[in-house]
PDB file of all heavy atoms in Angstrom:
ATOM      1  N   ALA A  20      82.108  16.484 -39.823  1.00  0.00           N
ATOM      2  CA  ALA A  20      81.076  15.703 -39.114  1.00  0.00           C
ATOM      3  C   ALA A  20      79.701  16.268 -39.435  1.00  0.00           C
ATOM      4  O   ALA A  20      78.735  15.490 -39.596  1.00  0.00           O
ATOM      5  CB  ALA A  20      81.351  15.764 -37.630  1.00  0.00           C
ATOM      6  N   THR A  21      79.609  17.591 -39.576  1.00  0.00           N
ATOM      7  CA  THR A  21      78.324  18.210 -39.930  1.00  0.00           C
ATOM      8  C   THR A  21      77.880  17.685 -41.298  1.00  0.00           C
ATOM      9  O   THR A  21      76.712  17.346 -41.510  1.00  0.00           O
ATOM     10  CB  THR A  21      78.496  19.741 -40.077  1.00  0.00           C
ATOM     11  OG1 THR A  21      79.331  20.223 -39.047  1.00  0.00           O
ATOM     12  CG2 THR A  21      77.139  20.437 -40.071  1.00  0.00           C
ATOM     13  N   LEU A  22      78.813  17.610 -42.228  1.00  0.00           N
ATOM     14  CA  LEU A  22      78.480  17.197 -43.618  1.00  0.00           C
ATOM     15  C   LEU A  22      78.041  15.752 -43.625  1.00  0.00           C
ATOM     16  O   LEU A  22      77.118  15.378 -44.332  1.00  0.00           O
ATOM     17  CB  LEU A  22      79.665  17.461 -44.559  1.00  0.00           C
ATOM     18  CG  LEU A  22      80.103  18.925 -44.627  1.00  0.00           C
ATOM     19  CD1 LEU A  22      81.375  19.065 -45.462  1.00  0.00           C
ATOM     20  CD2 LEU A  22      79.011  19.814 -45.249  1.00  0.00           C
ATOM     21  N   ARG A  23      78.746  14.920 -42.820  1.00  0.00           N
ATOM     22  CA  ARG A  23      78.359  13.480 -42.757  1.00  0.00           C
ATOM     23  C   ARG A  23      76.944  13.320 -42.188  1.00  0.00           C
ATOM     24  O   ARG A  23      76.141  12.539 -42.675  1.00  0.00           O
ATOM     25  CB  ARG A  23      79.342  12.735 -41.858  1.00  0.00           C
ATOM     26  CG  ARG A  23      80.629  12.371 -42.577  1.00  0.00           C
ATOM     27  CD  ARG A  23      81.397  11.342 -41.769  1.00  0.00           C
ATOM     28  NE  ARG A  23      82.822  11.525 -42.038  1.00  0.00           N
ATOM     29  CZ  ARG A  23      83.715  11.905 -41.096  1.00  0.00           C
ATOM     30  NH1 ARG A  23      83.385  12.103 -39.858  1.00  0.00           N
ATOM     31  NH2 ARG A  23      84.978  12.056 -41.463  1.00  0.00           N
ATOM     32  N   LYS A  24      76.662  14.120 -41.152  1.00  0.00           N
ATOM     33  CA  LYS A  24      75.363  14.107 -40.508  1.00  0.00           C
ATOM     34  C   LYS A  24      74.270  14.576 -41.490  1.00  0.00           C
ATOM     35  O   LYS A  24      73.195  13.985 -41.564  1.00  0.00           O
ATOM     36  CB  LYS A  24      75.380  15.030 -39.284  1.00  0.00           C
ATOM     37  CG  LYS A  24      74.199  14.840 -38.342  1.00  0.00           C
ATOM     38  CD  LYS A  24      74.511  15.527 -37.043  1.00  0.00           C
ATOM     39  CE  LYS A  24      73.254  15.878 -36.314  1.00  0.00           C
ATOM     40  NZ  LYS A  24      73.404  16.939 -35.336  1.00  0.00           N
ATOM     41  N   MET A  25      74.594  15.552 -42.293  1.00  0.00           N
ATOM     42  CA  MET A  25      73.622  16.047 -43.280  1.00  0.00           C
ATOM     43  C   MET A  25      73.283  14.946 -44.263  1.00  0.00           C
ATOM     44  O   MET A  25      72.167  14.741 -44.647  1.00  0.00           O
ATOM     45  CB  MET A  25      74.166  17.290 -43.997  1.00  0.00           C
ATOM     46  CG  MET A  25      74.178  18.523 -43.059  1.00  0.00           C
ATOM     47  SD  MET A  25      75.026  19.931 -43.746  1.00  0.00           S
ATOM     48  CE  MET A  25      73.747  20.612 -44.828  1.00  0.00           C
ATOM     49  N   LYS A  26      74.347  14.196 -44.704  1.00  0.00           N
ATOM     50  CA  LYS A  26      74.069  13.082 -45.620  1.00  0.00           C
ATOM     51  C   LYS A  26      73.150  12.072 -44.943  1.00  0.00           C
ATOM     52  O   LYS A  26      72.162  11.621 -45.505  1.00  0.00           O
ATOM     53  CB  LYS A  26      75.390  12.422 -46.068  1.00  0.00           C
ATOM     54  CG  LYS A  26      75.111  11.136 -46.928  1.00  0.00           C
ATOM     55  CD  LYS A  26      76.349  10.504 -47.469  1.00  0.00           C
ATOM     56  CE  LYS A  26      76.021   9.271 -48.263  1.00  0.00           C
ATOM     57  NZ  LYS A  26      76.293   9.329 -49.681  1.00  0.00           N
ATOM     58  N   ALA A  27      73.511  11.700 -43.710  1.00  0.00           N
ATOM     59  CA  ALA A  27      72.734  10.684 -43.004  1.00  0.00           C
ATOM     60  C   ALA A  27      71.282  11.110 -42.807  1.00  0.00           C
ATOM     61  O   ALA A  27      70.377  10.284 -42.870  1.00  0.00           O
ATOM     62  CB  ALA A  27      73.380  10.403 -41.657  1.00  0.00           C
ATOM     63  N   GLN A  28      71.095  12.381 -42.603  1.00  0.00           N
ATOM     64  CA  GLN A  28      69.713  12.888 -42.356  1.00  0.00           C
ATOM     65  C   GLN A  28      68.991  13.347 -43.592  1.00  0.00           C
ATOM     66  O   GLN A  28      67.871  13.833 -43.552  1.00  0.00           O
ATOM     67  CB  GLN A  28      69.742  14.020 -41.325  1.00  0.00           C
ATOM     68  CG  GLN A  28      70.259  13.576 -39.953  1.00  0.00           C
ATOM     69  CD  GLN A  28      70.347  14.664 -38.921  1.00  0.00           C
ATOM     70  OE1 GLN A  28      70.327  15.875 -39.254  1.00  0.00           O
ATOM     71  NE2 GLN A  28      70.389  14.296 -37.685  1.00  0.00           N
ATOM     72  N   GLY A  29      69.677  13.231 -44.762  1.00  0.00           N
ATOM     73  CA  GLY A  29      69.046  13.597 -46.020  1.00  0.00           C
ATOM     74  C   GLY A  29      68.835  15.089 -46.198  1.00  0.00           C
ATOM     75  O   GLY A  29      67.978  15.560 -46.911  1.00  0.00           O
ATOM     76  N   GLU A  30      69.701  15.906 -45.487  1.00  0.00           N
ATOM     77  CA  GLU A  30      69.594  17.335 -45.677  1.00  0.00           C
ATOM     78  C   GLU A  30      70.588  17.789 -46.774  1.00  0.00           C
ATOM     79  O   GLU A  30      71.806  17.570 -46.647  1.00  0.00           O
ATOM     80  CB  GLU A  30      69.953  18.078 -44.358  1.00  0.00           C
ATOM     81  CG  GLU A  30      69.787  19.607 -44.554  1.00  0.00           C
ATOM     82  CD  GLU A  30      70.345  20.462 -43.403  1.00  0.00           C
ATOM     83  OE1 GLU A  30      70.529  19.940 -42.308  1.00  0.00           O
ATOM     84  OE2 GLU A  30      70.565  21.647 -43.666  1.00  0.00           O
ATOM     85  N   PRO A  31      70.047  18.388 -47.875  1.00  0.00           N
ATOM     86  CA  PRO A  31      70.985  18.769 -48.961  1.00  0.00           C
ATOM     87  C   PRO A  31      72.037  19.755 -48.523  1.00  0.00           C
ATOM     88  O   PRO A  31      71.783  20.681 -47.735  1.00  0.00           O
ATOM     89  CB  PRO A  31      70.015  19.405 -49.968  1.00  0.00           C
ATOM     90  CG  PRO A  31      68.674  18.868 -49.673  1.00  0.00           C
ATOM     91  CD  PRO A  31      68.672  18.699 -48.169  1.00  0.00           C
ATOM     92  N   ILE A  32      73.237  19.562 -49.039  1.00  0.00           N
ATOM     93  CA  ILE A  32      74.385  20.423 -48.723  1.00  0.00           C
ATOM     94  C   ILE A  32      74.526  21.468 -49.821  1.00  0.00           C
ATOM     95  O   ILE A  32      74.677  21.111 -51.017  1.00  0.00           O
ATOM     96  CB  ILE A  32      75.676  19.522 -48.634  1.00  0.00           C
ATOM     97  CG1 ILE A  32      75.487  18.412 -47.556  1.00  0.00           C
ATOM     98  CG2 ILE A  32      76.881  20.398 -48.295  1.00  0.00           C
ATOM     99  CD1 ILE A  32      76.549  17.327 -47.651  1.00  0.00           C
ATOM    100  N   ALA A  33      74.468  22.742 -49.434  1.00  0.00           N
ATOM    101  CA  ALA A  33      74.536  23.833 -50.441  1.00  0.00           C
ATOM    102  C   ALA A  33      76.011  24.317 -50.506  1.00  0.00           C
ATOM    103  O   ALA A  33      76.589  24.711 -49.492  1.00  0.00           O
ATOM    104  CB  ALA A  33      73.627  24.975 -50.056  1.00  0.00           C
ATOM    105  N   CYS A  34      76.561  24.294 -51.699  1.00  0.00           N
ATOM    106  CA  CYS A  34      78.005  24.620 -51.868  1.00  0.00           C
ATOM    107  C   CYS A  34      78.172  25.594 -53.034  1.00  0.00           C
ATOM    108  O   CYS A  34      77.449  25.529 -54.029  1.00  0.00           O
ATOM    109  CB  CYS A  34      78.801  23.356 -52.246  1.00  0.00           C
ATOM    110  SG  CYS A  34      78.396  21.888 -51.272  1.00  0.00           S
TER     111      CYS A  34
END
Side-chain angles (χ1 to χ4, degrees):
T21 321
L22 301 174
R23 281 195 208 115
K24 193 166 157 200
M25 289 171 81
K26 175 174 178 115
Q28 296 180 340
E30 184 191 340
I32 303 166
C34 317

